[in-house]
Amino acid sequence: MKLKRAVKLNKYHFDVLVIGSGLAGLYAALSSAEWGKVAIVTKSTLEESNTYWAQGGVAAALHKDDSPDFHFKDTIIAGRGLCDETSVRILVNEGVERTRELIAMGMKFDMVNGELAQGLEGGHSKRRVIHAGGDATGIKIVNFLIDRVTKNKNITVFENTLVYELLSVEESCYGAYAYRFGLNDDITFFAKATIVAAGGASGIFRRTTNPHTSTGDGIALAYNAGAQLCDMEFIQFHPSAFYSDTGYTFLISEAVRGEGAYLYNHKGERFMPSYHENAELAPRDVVAKAIFNEMRKAVKPYVLLKLDHLDAEYIKTRFSHIAEEAKKFEIDITKDPVPISPAAHYMIGGVRSGYEAETNIKRLFVCGEVASTGVHGANRLASNSLLECIVFGKRAADSALNIEKEYVDFSKYVEQRKFKIDDTKEEIFTKYKNEIADLMTMGTGIVREEKSLSAILKRLDEIKTENDFEETEYYTRKLESLLIVAFAITRSALQREESRGSHFREDFPDENPHWHRRIILQIDNEPKLFSINFNIYNLPNSDEDGNKPDNCR
């Protein structure tokens, strides 16, 4: 048996420990570094995150014809009655300020005639999505922030370092245990505040737009430490991911439809006008379900996206990355129909957090896709995710600064840990990982029902009993993390007996007022429910000046 053992035991002390290197983590780290020593820990590299591959952009009401009130209304409508009104107000108002700060820091967004270029995406009543490098917004923002992070003397970066357990004692978090690959280092991080910004979990599905690292590690970490999870049933499937016979896929931005692309079925019919008044610009959940229906009717694994009626030169410039990727399959997006089908894209639920990015565990904060802030409700409005990262990343940093100042004797909380990687477990882990991916894709995908959800829960429980879990072994931890996330998604999906937003139950196809509430999960506790006291239709029809948003509905 080939066994790799850690040979070093290291202890580090920081004011703030940031777990994750996407936009939320980078922004939280930079904000925290203004007053303290910060560690950024990522299990891969700084570049490997969902943010890096984000194409659309940042949604913010920056234009004179737009307003946070319009943005608020669009977000609430997309969220199907489960948005937290206060969280949304924070997002749309502070989002304007945070975006302007990002620009003031030197971030270059695309310009047209001396003004910010603003795209239109599904669910938005205004052009408010700013982008960089056409469809390379994520890459541009991450590279911009990485440059600032690496030059900041108050920030230390630990790449290729796996955080496998939070140092949680008596409902407080004092840091984390970690293992650094390659160097075989066992590390204990002590921190006055810990910010988890480790991304989402859509990578546990077979067909996904996420990098392979997006498997919900941060969610499992927080859950094992006693943090509450919320809204785990809501997985957003991006309507337009490239389809290929090989299984290879890449994201085709919502902005493509925002610029006028149409969806066609295999009969040559443009079908979205029959599903929603806004056709291709309907909210993502509507478009994804419509595509699913058309695929099922045609018994085909994809539908077609057409751009041949649009200006070819503009399309090649605006969506240069997409055009290059499609060219690898001998498809010219300005002329040829593009095969697309939905793929798991964004985790709306996650670790439950308050308005200051706090969790129910003292000194533990969350931001970005790993967090359940209540902003997105049952369905995320396009391009609100990057905005959420900077708004609540800043709030997490401010909360870390404001925690009560008290002396902490870290030594009494820590245990010596020796982490290991048992290569003999890799094959069995890969087998279970693939099985879980298939289970989740088939049973907790776009369309769900009781029989398949119950069967998944049973099989997940069997997988758990079939394995001996070692607390400090790599493949054990990875499998345990996958099971926690899969259980949480499936159990919540089974409990919510209605269809709302990105959660569609074929056996309960309608929204049910009884389910105008959210599901909370916590280790060693039964699920809890809490109500949302907000009427989705009780919205202003105009701003203070009486200007109505476009496509007001």
Side-chain angles (χ1 to χ4, degrees), residues 174-371:
Y174 298 102
Y177 296 107
Y179 175 80
R180 184 154 48 183
F181 302 105
L183 298 177
N184 296 332
D185 284 358
D186 272 312
I187 300 175
T188 302
F189 289 102
F190 298 111
K192 297 174 183 176
T194 300
I195 299 174
V196 177
S202 293
I204 71 171
F205 289 81
R206 174 67 70 185
R207 180 169 167 77
T208 178
T209 64
N210 285 202
H212 70 280
T213 55
S214 298
T215 53
D217 291 3
I219 293 169
L221 275 175
Y223 179 79
N224 280 332
Q228 296 175 342
L229 306 185
C230 189
D231 299 334
M232 290 295 290
E233 67 269 37
F234 296 112
I235 306 292
Q236 189 172 74
F237 286 79
H238 198 288
S240 52
F242 184 81
Y243 176 84
S244 67
D245 293 335
T246 65
Y248 175 77
T249 188
F250 59 89
L251 180 64
I252 297 181
S253 172
E254 188 100 18
V256 174
R257 282 177 282 119
E259 295 297 342
Y262 294 147
L263 288 165
Y264 287 84
N265 59 26
H266 289 272
K267 292 181 180 180
E269 301 167 336
R270 184 183 167 208
F271 58 85
M272 277 310 303
S274 66
Y275 285 93
H276 195 278
E277 61 183 352
N278 289 345
E280 281 81 3
L281 292 180
R284 284 183 177 177
D285 63 312
V286 176
V287 180
K289 279 180 278 195
I291 292 172
F292 180 86
N293 287 339
E294 294 297 321
M295 287 164 47
R296 185 157 59 177
K297 285 191 291 186
V299 196
K300 297 282 187 179
Y302 61 89
V303 296
L304 299 167
L305 184 73
K306 298 184 70 174
L307 299 83
D308 55 352
H309 58 289
L310 303 175
D311 182 89
E313 289 306 310
Y314 175 75
I315 292 299
K316 286 179 181 178
T317 301
R318 175 70 175 88
F319 304 112
S320 56
H321 175 73
I322 294 172
E324 287 300 315
E325 285 295 313
K327 192 182 294 184
K328 296 175 183 177
F329 291 83
E330 299 182 349
I331 292 175
D332 181 342
I333 66 171
T334 67
K335 300 177 182 178
D336 305 320
V338 183
I340 59 105
S341 68
H345 179 60
Y346 187 86
M347 176 127 233
I348 290 174
V351 183
R352 187 188 181 199
S353 63
Y355 303 132
E356 307 304 327
E358 79 277 15
T359 71
N360 59 298
I361 304 297
K362 294 177 183 178
R363 302 175 178 269
L364 179 65
F365 306 92
V366 289
C367 56
E369 192 173 350
V370 73

Side-chain angles (χ1 to χ4, degrees), residues 73-88:
K73 180 173 182 178
D74 292 343
T75 300
I76 293 293
I77 289 174
R80 301 306 311 160
L82 287 192
C83 296
D84 183 291
E85 180 180 0
T86 301
S87 289
V88 179

Side-chain angles (χ1 to χ4, degrees), residues 75-109:
T75 300
I76 293 293
I77 289 174
R80 301 306 311 160
L82 287 192
C83 296
D84 183 291
E85 180 180 0
T86 301
S87 289
V88 179
R89 288 289 183 197
I90 290 170
L91 179 81
V92 299
N93 286 294
E94 293 184 14
V96 173
E97 185 179 350
R98 296 288 85 78
T99 305
R100 286 175 175 159
E101 285 176 356
L102 198 59
I103 294 170
M105 288 165 61
M107 175 63 203
K108 304 294 184 184
F109 290 97

